[in-house]
Amino acid sequence: MDFKDLAKTYGTPLYVYDFDYIENRYTTLKDAFAGKKSIINYAVKANSNLSVIAHLAKLGAGADCVSIGEVQRAFDAGVSKYKIIFSGVGKRDDEIRLALEYDILLINLESEAEMKRVEMIA
């Protein structure tokens, strides 16, 4: 692939993704756990490009999100609500409330105090 030509054609910055490579790596990882019940969740903070998230969702991946904005991005990309994990420190009450309303797979609790806040909000 001639990246200089692509840069001339489309300008920079230019992001080019190899979906075949992404699919191969995902499939290799998924196959390693074929005998076990598992979900492979993509860390949205690594790259929040909707096309990348959507491609992984079509392959069966979930999403690991550290903000409610990332949770919403996962939904926008077609990730099933039962494959979304909301992690991260410093979750605000409104974010916890939305995560509960969205009925996602789980909220990853970072402390006992956060657990009590989630219980109170729920």
Side-chain angles (χ1 to χ4, degrees), residues 35-93:
K36 305 287 182 190
K37 184 177 180 183
S38 62
I39 299 173
I40 297 173
N41 283 27
Y42 176 70
V44 175
K45 69 181 175 182
N47 182 338
S48 61
N49 181 296
L50 286 175
S51 295
V52 171
I53 301 166
H55 185 70
L56 286 163
K58 287 176 188 168
L59 296 173
D64 182 68
C65 306
V66 295
S67 72
I68 204 66
E70 288 184 0
V71 170
Q72 291 164 336
R73 261 186 115 57
F75 279 125
D76 291 345
V79 178
S80 164
K81 69 180 183 176
Y82 297 117
K83 291 186 177 184
I84 297 175
I85 296 172
F86 184 28
S87 302
V89 297
K91 296 177 201 77
R92 299 184 319 262
D93 288 356

Side-chain angles (χ1 to χ4, degrees), residues 96 108-120:
I96 292 169
N108 198 8
L109 302 174
E110 305 296 332
S111 67
E112 184 177 345
E114 186 175 66
M115 178 185 70
K116 289 177 181 177
R117 282 183 43 235
V118 170
E119 183 179 41
M120 181 186 70

Side-chain angles (χ1 to χ4, degrees), residues 19-34 40 55-56 58-61:
F19 280 12
D20 291 335
Y21 181 78
I22 291 170
E23 185 169 340
N24 176 271
R25 301 311 303 154
Y26 173 82
T27 302
T28 299
L29 185 58
K30 186 69 175 169
D31 288 349
F33 294 95
I40 297 173
H55 185 70
L56 286 163
K58 287 176 188 168
L59 296 173

